[in-house]
Each structure stands twice: as structure tokens, then as C-alpha cells.
Amino acid sequence: MKKIKNLTAAEAKEAFTKWEVKHPRHDDFDFNSAQIGNYKELFRLADRESIIDLIYDLFNYGFMAGYKQAEAEQKAKIDKRMYNDMHRRLLELVYYLPFGYRAEYFYCMMSHLLPEDCFYLMPKRITKPMLEIRAKIEEKKAREKAEREERQKVIDEALKQYEQQKGGESA
């Protein structure tokens, strides 16, 4: 699809007609008839440059209205899923945590700290990556433990040989 700034008036009208089928407008964000009447009067009295500015302002109003409608729909969707005020506060806390580039650290930490039975209460699309992180952590711990045990065996063997040498020298 062409960018909006490159559409002709007919193409823009056709594109909007197709788009409006999937995205209905709500009256709260539309012009009312009194506002349209005011613009009609301005069109009658205005010169060419003023009319172009007026059309540009109308487009700006349309984009602003679309943004506000999308914002209202998003808020309604979130409100529908909120259980109580504490749930909202927790969501906002997580959203505004200042981790930036270190968000993956916090995510890994949270997936490690959550109790095992908590994962059965969440959807699979959320728990699967968290369980993978836990498995990687457990694998890393097991590998480090095996390496420690191997080093300990080497140290014990070296100590045993050292004690045998000490015992042989003193005899």
C-alpha cells in the first residue's frame, strides 16, 4: 500500500473505506454536526491558502482522534483483564522498571525465583521460555558441580602423592 502522503484523494477515500470495515470509529472521537457546520462556513469565506490549511488541520484532527480512540481501546482492553488495583500497580511497576538493556537479567532472575507450582497457573507461551531458562541454569549448575568435583579429585590425588613423597623422604 502507498504511504498516506502519496495517495490521491480518490485512493485515500478507497483506502479509508476498506480500512473502516475492520476498524470502526466510535462517535466519541468524531466531529459532531456543529463542528462540521463551522468548517462549512469557514470554507465559504476562506481563500485558497486558508482552505488548504483547513484541510491539513482536519487531517491532523483525524490522526489525533485515531490516536485517542486507539488509546481508549487499549485502556478498555487492559481494564477488562485487571483483577484489582494491586494487579494494575504490579503491572505498572514491571512496565516502568528502569532495567533498559539489562531487562534480560531481570527476566532470568524472575524466572529463577518463581516457585515451581507457579508455572502451572500461567499460559504455556509465558512458561515455556521461563522453564528453558531454568533448565539452562540447572545445566550450568550441574556442569560447574562436575567441574568442582573433578578439580577436587585432582587436588586430592595431588595431596595423596605429596603425602606419599613426604612419607618416603622421612623414612
Side-chain angles (χ1 to χ4, degrees), residues 92-130:
E92 288 175 355
L93 169 70
V94 170
Y95 182 77
Y96 289 110
L97 282 173
F99 285 110
Y101 291 111
R102 291 288 169 207
E104 72 278 356
Y105 172 75
F106 178 71
Y107 183 78
C108 291
M109 182 181 74
M110 288 304 297
S111 59
H112 184 68
L113 291 176
L114 286 173
E116 187 74 34
D117 54 340
C118 180
F119 291 111
Y120 301 111
L121 302 173
M122 294 188 284
K124 272 192 175 180
R125 66 182 166 79
I126 293 173
T127 58
K128 185 178 178 187
M130 292 181 118

Side-chain angles (χ1 to χ4, degrees), residues 3-4 7 11 15 18 20 57 59 61 78-79 85-86 107-108 112 122 128 137-138 140 143 145-148 164 169:
K3 290 186 177 182
I4 292 175
L7 293 175
E11 291 171 332
K18 289 179 183 175
E20 191 178 25
D57 290 343
F59 274 110
Y61 180 84
I78 290 171
D79 287 345
D85 194 42
M86 190 60 73
Y107 183 78
C108 291
H112 184 68
M122 294 188 284
K128 185 178 178 187
I137 290 171
E138 294 301 321
K140 183 179 176 184
R143 189 173 57 247
K145 184 179 178 184
E147 289 172 0
R148 271 195 309 274
Q164 286 175 355
E169 288 177 7

